[in-house]
Amino acid sequence: MTRIDAKFAQLRAEEKKAFVAYIMAGDPDFDSSMEVLRGLPAAGVDVIELGIPFTDPMADGPTIQLAGQRALEAGQTLQKTLDMAAAFREADDTTPIVLMGYYNPIYNRGVDKFLEDASAAGIDGLIIVDLPPEEDDELCIPAQKAGLNFIRLATPTTDDKRLPKVLTNTSGFLYYVSITGITGAAEAQAGDVRPEVARIKAHTDLPVIVGFGIKTPGAAEEIASVADGVVVGSAIVDLIGKGKSPAEVLDFVRGLAEGAHRA
């Protein structure tokens, strides 16, 4: 059982929905990002998604793209991202960390070395947005063998013919993208999300966590009420991009977490 599996088992036992927060590693700089990362669990975050900055983030909107650029300009690397996770683990051995990003930096490092280093740093799962199920032998299967969850995304265009393929070899949880398009775009609507979550749950026992378009505590509560939890990324990253202090960012995160946990 991974930390992710254990966290969702705990949440089920407590009849609580999950709050997942995304930040870009190294944004706007290593120390500030590290301060936010360390503060997330106390702010109510159940699972942390830690973005790997990349030069060509094709699935991300302007907010996340700019965060990646800031991080890269400040000297963030894949190694420094793993270093952040390892430093976080010195004081917290229970909160799951999922690395989210693109395959290129992992491929350049070498899959075997990356998985060895990620496991040593305390990483629990991966979301690699540009590796479809047809490429499972590249990273997904080796990651599972190394004890890491491989988390897949489903979207409103993932029909019943495609869904079983998406769910094959997926573990930890399924990330449902509530709207079509890039991150940070339109707002999610519970009325649209509810039937889609029910459809997915007919095919899997995995928790279904909904992301994209969730920007307020009220929206977090509304969407969490029709799913197993919510992910917020762009709204948090936007505050960081506006120069808010780690304390201000964590206050905002706390409000979102409270919203999700009210559901």
Side-chain angles (χ1 to χ4, degrees):
M1 180 180 280
T2 65
R3 290 186 187 90
I4 296 171
D5 299 328
K7 176 58 70 174
F8 280 105
Q10 175 195 337
L11 290 167
R12 277 193 299 272
E14 296 173 357
E15 297 185 341
K16 283 176 67 177
K17 301 301 178 75
F19 180 67
V20 183
Y22 170 97
I23 62 168
M24 178 66 73
D27 174 35
D29 56 66
F30 186 92
D31 290 342
S32 300
S33 186
M34 194 71 231
E35 188 174 345
V36 172
L37 178 64
R38 285 195 168 110
L40 290 175
V45 175
D46 299 302
V47 179
I48 296 167
E49 286 183 9
L50 189 59
I52 306 169
F54 181 53
T55 52
D56 188 23
M58 59 188 178
D60 293 305
T63 299
I64 304 293
Q65 287 187 20
L66 288 169
Q69 289 176 14
R70 289 191 298 267
L72 290 169
E73 287 168 5
Q76 189 71 11
T77 61
L78 175 56
Q79 181 58 53
K80 286 186 177 180
T81 303
L82 294 173
D83 292 345
M84 285 181 68
F88 176 88
R89 284 281 170 245
E90 292 172 5
D92 186 320
D93 195 41
T94 57
T95 305
I97 299 178
V98 176
L99 284 185
M100 186 169 186
Y102 297 83
Y103 184 46
N104 183 271
I106 295 169
Y107 176 80
N108 285 339
R109 191 182 189 89
V111 167
D112 291 345
K113 177 168 176 50
F114 166 76
L115 291 173
E116 180 181 340
D117 293 345
S119 296
I123 299 300
D124 305 291
L126 304 173
I127 301 175
I128 307 301
V129 297
D130 56 347
L131 275 183
E134 288 76 12
E135 305 294 335
D136 273 0
D137 289 341
E138 286 283 328
L139 180 62
C140 174
I141 302 299
Q144 307 262 28
K145 289 179 179 176
L148 276 69
N149 290 124
F150 199 88
I151 296 144
R152 201 93 65 185
L153 280 67
T155 74
T157 60
T158 307
D159 60 20
D160 286 339
K161 182 179 179 183
R162 179 65 176 169
L163 186 58
K165 187 72 173 175
V166 169
L167 290 169
T168 300
N169 298 322
T170 299
S171 63
F173 61 91
L174 184 82
Y175 186 142
Y176 178 67
V177 176
S178 63
I179 51 178
T180 54
I182 55 175
T183 57
E187 293 189 14
Q189 302 296 327
D192 298 329
V193 170
R194 185 193 304 271
E196 290 298 299
V197 170
R199 180 172 70 89
I200 293 166
K201 282 185 156 297
H203 292 265
T204 182
D205 293 329
L206 288 172
V208 179
I209 308 301
V210 177
F212 284 47
I214 301 166
K215 302 174 183 178
T216 65
E221 180 178 3
E222 184 182 355
I223 299 298
S225 72
V226 300
D228 296 305
V230 296
V231 184
V232 179
S234 292
I236 298 169
V237 171
D238 185 53
L239 281 188
I240 295 171
K242 290 175 177 175
K244 299 296 184 182
S245 69
E248 290 172 308
V249 172
L250 291 168
D251 279 345
F252 177 67
V253 170
R254 189 173 293 106
L256 294 165
E258 288 170 355
H261 291 150
R262 281 195 300 268

